[in-house]
Amino acid sequence: MTGFYESQVRMFVSVDCIVFGFDGDRLMVLIGHRRMDPGRGQWSLYGGFVRADECLDDAAKRVLHDLTGLDDPYMKQVGAFGNVDRDPGERVISVAYYSMINVGDYDESSLKQHGLQWVPIDSLPNMYSDHRAMIATARRMLQRRFSHEPIGFNFLPDMFTLTNLQHLYEAVYGEEVDKRNFRKKVKEMTFIQNTGLIDKTASKRGAGLYTFNSREYDKNANFKL
């Protein structure tokens, strides 16, 4: 340490991770009760302080790996939250990140280990500090990217029905979409491919199963829904 900045006020920097999931009908957020003071017991996002040897992205990857077990999760920075009074304990500036996972890939043991729950984004409880504002900002970013990037497939299993895909878009945007127009657009996209398999879990007739072909998308990157 050089001591160059000894006259300046020291501050803490943390990362908070917003993990979005999709349960087939609703957009969900992974939250839990805070296990430390201040705010012990309040609903909270999962986060941690940035270590001296970490950049921001590395800190977020570490927290997300601890939370999800994924080595390379989809992750985007939401922004910095630094109101002077946002943390009653110390002066803490937090940088929020959002990630997306398939709810089915996150098992019950992981939920219990971290004391977390999947909560519908439209039914969030009161939360610690500015965590609800972080989630709202992240959702707006997610919506903007959703319409022109194929990021939504992070929420879905490898094979999905067109109804699954439609419900996902409705959950993210919080409004119904026209079924006929939606399916017409999807079927024009060569990188969303019919597998020829049938899912009969919802009805005897069943529904066709589709998959996202990333190689085909890379050849002709034109995604707009």
Side-chain angles (χ1 to χ4, degrees), residues 33-149:
H33 291 291
R34 189 169 166 88
R35 295 180 171 181
M36 61 184 291
D37 293 319
R40 186 184 297 271
Q42 295 182 33
W43 287 103
S44 172
L45 293 169
Y46 196 82
F49 288 103
V50 179
R51 296 172 179 169
D53 61 348
E54 289 179 320
C55 68
L56 288 170
D57 283 0
D58 285 344
K61 287 177 182 177
R62 170 176 55 82
V63 170
L64 281 170
H65 181 270
D66 184 43
L67 182 61
T68 67
L70 300 176
D71 292 321
D72 189 27
Y74 179 92
M75 182 183 81
K76 290 292 181 183
Q77 189 181 115
V78 177
F81 293 76
N83 285 348
V84 174
D85 60 351
R86 66 172 301 275
D87 192 308
E90 293 284 354
R91 181 77 168 94
V92 180
I93 295 171
S94 183
V95 180
Y97 286 78
Y98 78 84
S99 183
M100 300 179 294
I101 65 175
N102 183 346
V103 170
D105 292 338
Y106 199 80
D107 59 33
E108 287 292 327
S109 63
S110 296
L111 290 173
K112 291 179 180 178
Q113 176 186 350
H114 297 291
L116 298 170
Q117 294 181 32
W118 285 111
V119 177
I121 195 169
D122 296 323
S123 303
L124 289 172
N126 291 328
M127 298 183 68
Y128 177 74
S129 186
D130 48 10
H131 287 192
R132 283 189 61 150
M134 291 180 179
I135 294 170
T137 303
R139 186 183 193 181
R140 290 192 293 270
M141 290 182 64
L142 182 66
Q143 289 171 337
R144 288 195 296 270
R145 300 181 75 90
F146 231 69
S147 64
H148 61 274
E149 295 181 31

Side-chain angles (χ1 to χ4, degrees), residues 7-33:
S7 63
Q8 301 301 313
V9 176
R10 300 284 180 95
M11 301 181 189
F12 293 90
V13 179
S14 67
V15 292
D16 281 297
C17 295
I18 302 149
V19 179
F20 289 121
F22 177 62
D23 71 349
D25 291 299
R26 299 168 298 177
L27 185 65
M28 314 289 280
V29 185
L30 203 55
I31 62 174
H33 291 291

